[in-house]
Amino acid sequence: MKKNRKNLALLLLAASLLAGCAGQSNSQSSQSSQAKSEKKAESKASSKSAAKSAASSAVSSSAVSSSAVSSTKSSSSQASSKSAASSSQRADVNRMGTLTSQLRVKLPGMLLPAADGLGQGSSNLNIRYTSSSSQNVVYYSVGNSPLALNDSRIASEKPYAVLTEKKNVADASSLINYQEPKTGLPAVKIASNVTGTEEGAAGSTYLQFNQGQWSFVVRASNVQGQKPLPTAQKLLALYQQYGLPDTAAKSSVQVDVGESLGSLNTVITWAKGSSVYQLKAHSAETAFKMLKSLN
């Protein structure tokens, strides 16, 4: 009986020990499963994070690439525009240069401008000329298309400038019409250090001032309500900026107020050797630019 109780106690103890081991095993198994789940979750999160990072990097790279392409296109476009403008300017300069070179062969010894004096239209610059033993005349105009030197069609175009050389002149003063400084007339201040005189005659007002060997006379129409002073001030500024041809003789600049194509209201006359030159132009600025390049 005692032996049976002892055996029963041993069985109960063994069962208890087995139950404890099973619980511990289940607990370890549960912990292992949980650890595995956590590792899987971490792995998935890491994969998602890497994917997001890669996608973000790709987007950023694409944006940088797009920006670079855009920048390259913009730079290329600007370069093309500058190149086209530069080519156009070169073509304009070459046209004046080409025609002038041809003129020098036809009119040897005549002073000719290297610049056309235009602000626009240089690509359609046209030139014709006439020549005789006593004078050469060169007509500068802008047409609908560029034409060969002395093409017959140029005669129908209005010249914006006309350059004349009168050869072997005995009395240059009669052609130049230089005006000596006037006295006894109302004084007009043209600049801080330049004063001119003003007088009226035959419905016009004449404003005159002198600089070196040059006399400047501006005529304004009273009927049209014109004033000579603004034009005189512009003339003085152009003279100070561009100068005028070298001349040992007294020379003249005469301007009628108002500029329009074909009007030729600016007339500049001077002597060079035995020749008398005269440039007529539709604007004073064009005339000064052309004469600055004279050679």
Side-chain angles (χ1 to χ4, degrees):
M1 184 72 170
K2 290 182 179 179
K3 187 176 182 179
N4 289 338
R5 289 179 179 174
K6 185 177 182 181
N7 288 338
L8 181 59
L10 289 173
L11 287 173
L12 289 173
L13 177 61
S16 176
L17 289 172
L18 288 173
C21 289
Q24 185 175 2
S25 176
N26 288 336
S27 176
Q28 289 177 348
S29 176
S30 176
Q31 289 176 356
S32 176
S33 297
Q34 184 177 357
K36 287 181 180 180
S37 297
E38 289 177 353
K39 284 184 179 179
K40 285 183 180 180
E42 288 178 357
S43 177
K44 287 182 180 180
S46 178
S47 297
K48 287 182 180 180
S49 177
K52 285 183 180 180
S53 178
S56 176
S57 177
V59 170
S60 177
S61 176
S62 175
V64 170
S65 176
S66 177
S67 176
V69 170
S70 178
S71 177
T72 301
K73 286 183 178 179
S74 177
S75 298
S76 176
S77 177
Q78 290 176 359
S80 297
S81 298
K82 288 181 180 179
S83 177
S86 178
S87 297
S88 176
Q89 290 172 355
R90 285 197 300 270
D92 294 347
V93 171
N94 288 340
R95 177 153 182 78
M96 180 62 176
T98 299
L99 292 174
T100 302
S101 295
Q102 295 172 6
L103 268 179
R104 293 193 191 284
V105 175
K106 303 294 184 181
L107 307 174
M110 181 179 180
L111 293 174
L112 295 168
D116 59 30
L118 294 170
Q120 58 183 3
S122 296
S123 58
N124 287 334
L125 170 71
N126 290 319
I127 298 176
R128 68 182 180 92
Y129 70 93
T130 61
S131 181
S132 68
S133 59
S134 61
Q135 71 174 17
N136 298 320
V137 185
V138 182
Y139 302 84
Y140 298 84
S141 60
V142 174
N144 294 322
S145 61
L147 301 172
L149 178 68
N150 246 24
D151 188 295
S152 60
R153 289 170 290 180
I154 301 175
S156 63
E157 298 175 355
K158 284 185 177 182
Y160 70 84
V162 179
L163 178 63
T164 302
E165 176 195 18
K166 292 188 178 294
K167 298 181 265 187
N168 303 315
V169 176
D171 182 15
S173 61
S174 62
L175 297 173
I176 292 175
N177 196 29
Y178 172 84
Q179 300 292 310
E180 293 288 350
K182 299 290 195 304
T183 58
L185 293 173
V188 177
K189 188 174 184 180
I190 298 171
S192 59
N193 58 344
V194 179
T195 300
T197 56
E198 189 175 84
E199 64 179 325
S204 298
T205 299
Y206 294 84
L207 176 55
Q208 177 186 333
F209 65 96
N210 292 60
Q211 293 286 288
Q213 293 284 82
W214 293 86
S215 66
F216 297 78
V217 178
V218 178
R219 186 188 74 84
S221 170
N222 296 335
V223 175
Q224 297 180 35
Q226 296 173 340
K227 302 296 180 182
L229 181 57
T231 300
Q233 291 172 329
K234 180 180 178 179
L235 275 179
L236 179 60
L238 289 170
Y239 173 70
Q240 292 173 341
Q241 180 178 359
Y242 295 103
L244 283 168
D246 292 332
T247 175
K250 293 179 178 181
S251 305
S252 69
V253 178
Q254 296 174 302
V255 178
D256 285 351
V257 174
E259 299 177 354
S260 61
L261 181 61
S263 63
L264 304 179
N265 283 346
T266 296
V267 181
I268 301 175
T269 314
W270 74 100
K272 184 69 174 180
S274 62
S275 295
V276 172
Y277 285 86
Q278 184 178 83
L279 178 65
K280 295 181 178 180
H282 75 116
S283 84
E285 184 170 3
T286 293
F288 275 83
K289 286 180 177 179
M290 292 179 75
L291 292 181
K292 175 69 175 178
S293 67
L294 198 70
N295 62 72

